[in-house]
Amino acid sequence: MDNSGTVADHDGLSAIFDRISAIGAHSGQGVTRLAASAEDGAARAIFAEWMTRGGARMAEDAVGNQFACFDWAGENAPWVFAGSHLDTQPRGGRFDGTLGVLSAGCAALGLQAEKQAGGFKSARNLAVVNWTNEEGARYQPSLTGSAVFSGALPLGEALALRDGAGISLGDALAGIGIVGETGSVPPRPEAYVELHVEQGRTLTEAGCRVGTVEGTWAARKMTVRWIGRAAHTGPTPMADRCDALLAAALGIAAFEAVMAEHYPRLHRSAARLVVEPNSPNVVVERATVWFELRGLDISELDRAGKAVLTAFETAAVDTGTRLEVSADALRAPAGMDGGLVAIVDHTARLCGFEPLAMRSVAGHDAVALQNSGIPSALIFIPSVDGIAHHPDELTLAEDMQAGLTVLTAVLRHLAEGGYGNGQAR
Amino acid sequence: MDNSGTVADHDGLSAIFDRISAIGAHSGQGVTRLAASAEDGAARAIFAEWMTRGGARMAEDAVGNQFACFDWAGENAPWVFAGSHLDTQPRGGRFDGTLGVLSAGCAALGLQAEKQAGGFKSARNLAVVNWTNEEGARYQPSLTGSAVFSGALPLGEALALRDGAGISLGDALAGIGIVGETGSVPPRPEAYVELHVEQGRTLTEAGCRVGTVEGTWAARKMTVRWIGRAAHTGPTPMADRCDALLAAALGIAAFEAVMAEHYPRLHRSAARLVVEPNSPNVVVERATVWFELRGLDISELDRAGKAVLTAFETAAVDTGTRLEVSADALRAPAGMDGGLVAIVDHTARLCGFEPLAMRSVAGHDAVALQNSGIPSALIFIPSVDGIAHHPDELTLAEDMQAGLTVLTAVLRHLAEGGYGNGQAR
């Protein structure tokens, strides 16, 4: 394994990072660049223009995943992918996702320059990828683009997803000019590598600058609806009311109580709630809540899920409403690809870092791909104070530099065939 | 007092009622005709065309209140108003408000025909009024148009109100062609009469077809916001979270518990909740809840309000969030105008009904006007099963007929000067 060659171009990364970060940014409000929005479209255009100028050939699949292709090794050679996503949460941070796409772009441009200078010989083609709707803020489920690419989610289902305003993903993509595949989209890659900010404090507390993610927590995501009956909030006798918002409030309160008492190790949340009709003068007819439970142990998630469903049913009975579980999906804990984890670990050490083997609580595109059989690696760098999905999200410049250095070295190694031919396994 | 003259034109009422009820109607979903929406615009146009064809002169003030004017008694004569509102709740009923406007229109047309036939001599001008945004579904506070007309709410404040999408009432009105006063808007009337469906079961349970509303309950309307901190719902350690939706859920649950235990006579509701950013993967940063308490006794509302504010503060402390009370308004119990109540009671008896003296739990335009010094009367007719703000809202044809008969007789009496000159007081 060779760690020589160009120094990772951190100044180039800063420049493009600042350009993309300005798209959807509002002072003090972070960045709002929801999937398939006008802002997402603007960021995609800048990314494509930047990559094209650097010598890449752009392709896009029908769900809007962007591929900046470097056809270094010819039509029949295997591919290596690196990337992440450019969409954000509402009022989200600048680093989540964006850093992974742009670091991969910088690494590719560096390797391209190195290759042209004769510094390395590539046995693989490389694509820098921007996956569509990773966040799941506008369209649920999240990880949409990577799930479609890897075959876990049918394209038709993805395009039919609807946002809170009823706009389908297909229509939203068409609204930013994406109406089908363009260019020649590369095949399933031999390996995928993603650099991402940790969004927790584990690296900082361990004093490490680089994390090699060995696997993820499991997650159980439940969408639960209470159905009551609309009525006037004034004259309707209290005994006649079936109040779905009261049911949801009791459900959320019971969820917290059950989890805090019996499952304190699990992470839990109720973060989205849709109320209908949501008029101050109409008793709520329907309240839909998105719950998440996350942990390492599937059997614990299973027990916790049963317990909270019982609590939800009690909330329905106590309010005269009816409970409907409209989604209840388990994401099994993923183990990332062992061979790639070893390469990342070894490469990070060659680059002078002491990497921390760790697990990811959150899902990422690398996890979606790995779960669908594409060998994937996930590299973490620190988040200041662990702040994520918030305008104050921050990763320090020296940590970005560290991440870019390791990513570039890993991609050089993979492009040389360091994984596919088995020499590093 | 004379009850002779034309029979109230129930067939005419059915025809126009069916026409207006079709605007914003969706099968099984009731009627959605939010204030200043395209549907509201369409209903207004039909109302104006119908009244104009019947001989009225239309005028509109700057907040969009429509006045169908019958200038029977000359420029210097006092005015009598009758009406209600054409806006609805989302998925609301057909009768609420609409019946009052159209019954007043039918009564006016009947009196106009009677006058032309020499059957009565009017000493007053009459206007049939459609008040803007009575419901408060799209813009809070409710009763907007009547409050502006009567001077309780400055026009500028009303036009600056914003809906959930951030659209101002002024812009929404401009969107349906209302950009300022048109025609000559009549002055403050001598008396205002409103026919409305009861939205409760009191009349049915008493076996009465007509109710004379002597006054209303008081209402306390509180808008309360919990402010937490956005964070990733996955990796963020549970101890680091400040979850505004959890706070709101605990607040709503505590509100119900406190009210049910200590203030069971009051009507209570939490029917609107705005969650930000409302993404499944972001711990909620801001949750805003609209609470209402209604009762007859202001001191009880005062004590209950204090108790629930304490509970809201506890919810904030328990979740590490911050409580903000963004609105806390008391609507005092109104007594309707005694002279007009007596006229309605007497007239109803002359028409062959045994009217029930009752109180209104809900606010209505008549209450807003009465509270601002315009003598007002409110006549109730039964709602089947008391269902209101729901697609199943229903008032039977014979009850509509009864209401129209009494309203017409009351308006004939008032137009003859039966209130303003004191002969009936």
Side-chain angles (χ1 to χ4, degrees), chain A residues 70-340:
Chain A
F70 294 86
D71 303 290
W72 288 332
E75 207 174 325
N76 296 317
W79 286 76
V80 170
F81 284 4
S84 190
H85 59 93
L86 294 179
D87 72 319
T88 74
Q89 292 286 339
R91 294 188 282 199
R94 292 170 293 155
F95 297 83
D96 179 351
T98 300
L99 187 66
V101 177
L102 302 183
S103 295
C106 275
L109 295 181
L111 292 172
Q112 166 93 335
E114 203 178 323
K115 184 171 174 295
Q116 282 163 352
F120 99 109
K121 188 167 174 336
S122 183
R124 300 290 183 265
N125 298 312
L126 177 71
V128 179
V129 190
N130 167 30
W131 303 106
T132 295
N133 191 47
E134 190 270 350
E135 291 291 358
R138 180 172 180 189
Y139 293 98
Q140 293 85 43
S142 57
L143 305 168
T144 313
S146 46
V148 169
F149 180 85
S150 64
L153 180 67
L155 174 65
E157 276 184 39
L159 296 180
L161 294 175
R162 292 191 181 273
D163 68 7
I167 301 167
S168 74
L169 177 56
D171 285 348
L173 286 169
I176 57 168
I178 300 168
V179 291
E181 191 171 314
T182 58
S184 176
V185 172
R188 282 168 78 91
E190 183 175 87
Y192 171 70
V193 186
E194 180 166 354
L195 176 72
H196 206 283
V197 292
E198 182 202 335
Q199 308 182 303
R201 296 184 308 219
T202 309
L203 282 172
T204 305
E205 286 170 1
C208 290
R209 190 156 269 173
V210 174
T212 54
V213 177
E214 295 185 312
T216 65
W217 285 25
R220 186 164 179 177
K221 303 194 175 196
M222 309 167 90
T223 308
V224 169
R225 178 173 298 142
W226 285 272
I227 300 167
R229 183 171 171 82
H232 198 302
T233 56
T236 309
M238 292 310 299
D240 286 6
R241 304 190 185 193
C242 303
D243 183 339
L245 180 54
L246 176 58
L250 295 175
I252 293 169
F255 173 77
E256 172 64 18
V258 167
M259 297 295 292
E261 185 176 347
H262 299 293
Y263 304 96
R265 289 186 313 175
L266 301 183
H267 284 193
R268 58 190 180 271
S269 60
R272 179 169 166 81
L273 171 54
V274 171
V275 176
E276 298 164 81
N278 212 21
S279 167
N281 306 312
V282 185
V283 174
V284 173
E285 177 144 306
R286 293 152 64 96
T288 309
V289 186
W290 280 253
F291 291 96
E292 287 182 4
L293 302 79
R294 304 186 193 232
L296 261 174
D297 178 353
I298 285 193
S299 70
E300 194 177 9
L301 284 179
D302 190 51
R303 291 195 306 279
K306 281 204 186 79
V308 301
L309 280 171
T310 303
F312 296 160
E313 189 58 51
T314 301
V317 169
D318 289 351
T319 52
T321 58
R322 185 164 55 83
L323 182 71
E324 237 181 48
V325 179
S326 62
D328 186 356
L330 184 72
R331 283 196 181 154
M336 302 308 293
D337 184 81
L340 288 176

Side-chain angles (χ1 to χ4, degrees), chain A residues 89-91 96 134-138 140 142 198-201 217 221 229-238 240-241 243 245-246 248-250 252-253 256 264 266-286 289-290 292 294 361-364 385-392, chain B residues 89-91 96 134-138 140 142 198-201 217 221 229-238 240-241 243 245-246 248-250 252-253 256 264 266-286 289-290 292 294 361-364 385-392:
Chain A
Q89 292 286 339
R91 294 188 282 199
D96 179 351
E134 190 270 350
E135 291 291 358
R138 180 172 180 189
Q140 293 85 43
S142 57
E198 182 202 335
Q199 308 182 303
R201 296 184 308 219
W217 285 25
K221 303 194 175 196
R229 183 171 171 82
H232 198 302
T233 56
T236 309
M238 292 310 299
D240 286 6
R241 304 190 185 193
D243 183 339
L245 180 54
L246 176 58
L250 295 175
I252 293 169
E256 172 64 18
L266 301 183
H267 284 193
R268 58 190 180 271
S269 60
R272 179 169 166 81
L273 171 54
V274 171
V275 176
E276 298 164 81
N278 212 21
S279 167
N281 306 312
V282 185
V283 174
V284 173
E285 177 144 306
R286 293 152 64 96
V289 186
W290 280 253
E292 287 182 4
R294 304 186 193 232
V361 181
H364 292 289
D385 291 333
I387 294 169
H389 288 185
H390 187 281
D392 292 348
Chain B
Q89 290 288 338
R91 296 188 280 199
D96 179 352
E134 189 271 353
E135 290 291 0
R138 180 170 181 190
Q140 294 85 42
S142 57
E198 182 202 335
Q199 309 182 304
R201 297 183 309 221
W217 286 24
K221 303 196 174 195
R229 183 172 171 82
H232 198 303
T233 56
T236 309
M238 293 309 299
D240 286 7
R241 303 188 186 194
D243 183 339
L245 181 54
L246 176 59
L250 295 175
I252 293 169
E256 173 64 18
L266 300 183
H267 285 193
R268 58 190 180 271
S269 60
R272 179 170 165 82
L273 170 54
V274 171
V275 175
E276 299 164 83
N278 212 21
S279 167
N281 305 313
V282 184
V283 174
V284 173
E285 177 144 305
R286 292 151 65 97
V289 185
W290 279 252
E292 285 181 6
R294 302 187 195 232
V361 180
H364 293 290
D385 292 333
I387 294 170
H389 288 183
H390 187 282
D392 293 347

Side-chain angles (χ1 to χ4, degrees), chain B residues 7-84:
Chain B
V7 171
D9 179 11
H10 184 259
D11 287 347
L13 177 58
S14 290
I16 186 69
F17 184 73
D18 288 348
R19 267 183 84 192
I20 296 278
S21 295
I23 310 300
H26 300 280
S27 178
Q29 301 287 306
V31 178
T32 299
R33 206 160 58 227
L34 301 183
S37 65
E39 292 79 10
D40 188 22
R44 288 163 174 268
I46 292 172
F47 170 63
E49 182 266 335
W50 174 60
M51 286 281 92
T52 304
R53 198 154 33 80
R57 165 182 68 78
M58 295 302 298
E60 202 162 57
D61 66 13
V63 77
N65 295 317
Q66 287 184 294
F67 302 85
C69 302
F70 294 86
D71 303 290
W72 289 332
E75 206 173 327
N76 296 318
W79 286 76
V80 170
F81 285 4
S84 191

Side-chain angles (χ1 to χ4, degrees), chain B residues 392-414:
Chain B
D392 293 347
E393 183 187 275
L394 179 65
T395 289
L396 300 176
E398 62 257 39
D399 293 329
M400 286 172 65
Q401 175 66 59
L404 178 54
T405 299
V406 173
L407 179 65
T408 304
V410 167
L411 291 180
R412 184 190 300 110
H413 181 72
L414 296 178

